[in-house]
Amino acid sequence: MSKNSRVIRRLDPLGRIVLPKKYRKALDIDIKDDIEIVVQGTNIYVSKHDPGCIFCGDSNGITLFKDKPVCPECYKDIKEKNFF
Ligand SMILES: [Zn+2]
């Protein structure tokens, strides 16, 4: 898929569009994933929702701790201070 791939879609009567399968596949977006919608000026950006660390919101290097997203720094704090 080229860097600036483009499709034209018509909104259905309820204002919905279908994200093309090739885009979902390329961006690892699956059915029932949470999607983030951001408006900047007159543009709408759609992306896979990244929940980030439950403690600080950082979205880098997330791992799951008891099924919750946690960043490496908070994970280290949890381990060192034996919170769990
Ligand atoms: Zn964190």
Side-chain angles (χ1 to χ4, degrees), residues 53 55-58 70-71 74:
C53 174
F55 298 109
C56 70
D58 192 350
V70 180
C71 75
C74 291

Side-chain angles (χ1 to χ4, degrees), residues 1 5-13 15-24 44 46:
M1 192 166 66
S5 187
R6 176 185 179 194
V7 294
I8 306 297
R9 287 285 157 101
R10 181 165 289 166
L11 290 178
D12 78 3
R16 301 176 295 194
I17 55 166
V18 172
L19 295 178
K21 191 173 186 176
K22 66 178 180 179
Y23 292 178
R24 285 187 273 126
I44 299 170
V46 176

Side-chain angles (χ1 to χ4, degrees), residues 1-74:
M1 192 166 66
S2 73
K3 193 178 172 215
N4 293 309
S5 187
R6 176 185 179 194
V7 294
I8 306 297
R9 287 285 157 101
R10 181 165 289 166
L11 290 178
D12 78 3
L14 296 177
R16 301 176 295 194
I17 55 166
V18 172
L19 295 178
K21 191 173 186 176
K22 66 178 180 179
Y23 292 178
R24 285 187 273 126
K25 196 174 173 190
L27 300 174
D28 192 31
I29 296 172
D30 222 333
I31 299 301
K32 301 211 174 186
D33 277 350
D34 288 327
I35 297 299
E36 191 169 309
I37 299 169
V38 175
V39 175
Q40 282 184 7
T42 57
N43 296 311
I44 299 170
Y45 296 91
V46 176
S47 56
K48 185 173 182 169
H49 176 59
D50 179 354
C53 174
I54 58 166
F55 298 109
C56 70
D58 192 350
S59 56
N60 293 314
I62 295 298
T63 54
L64 291 180
F65 181 79
K66 293 183 182 284
D67 286 336
K68 304 290 183 202
V70 180
C71 75
E73 212 161 300
C74 291

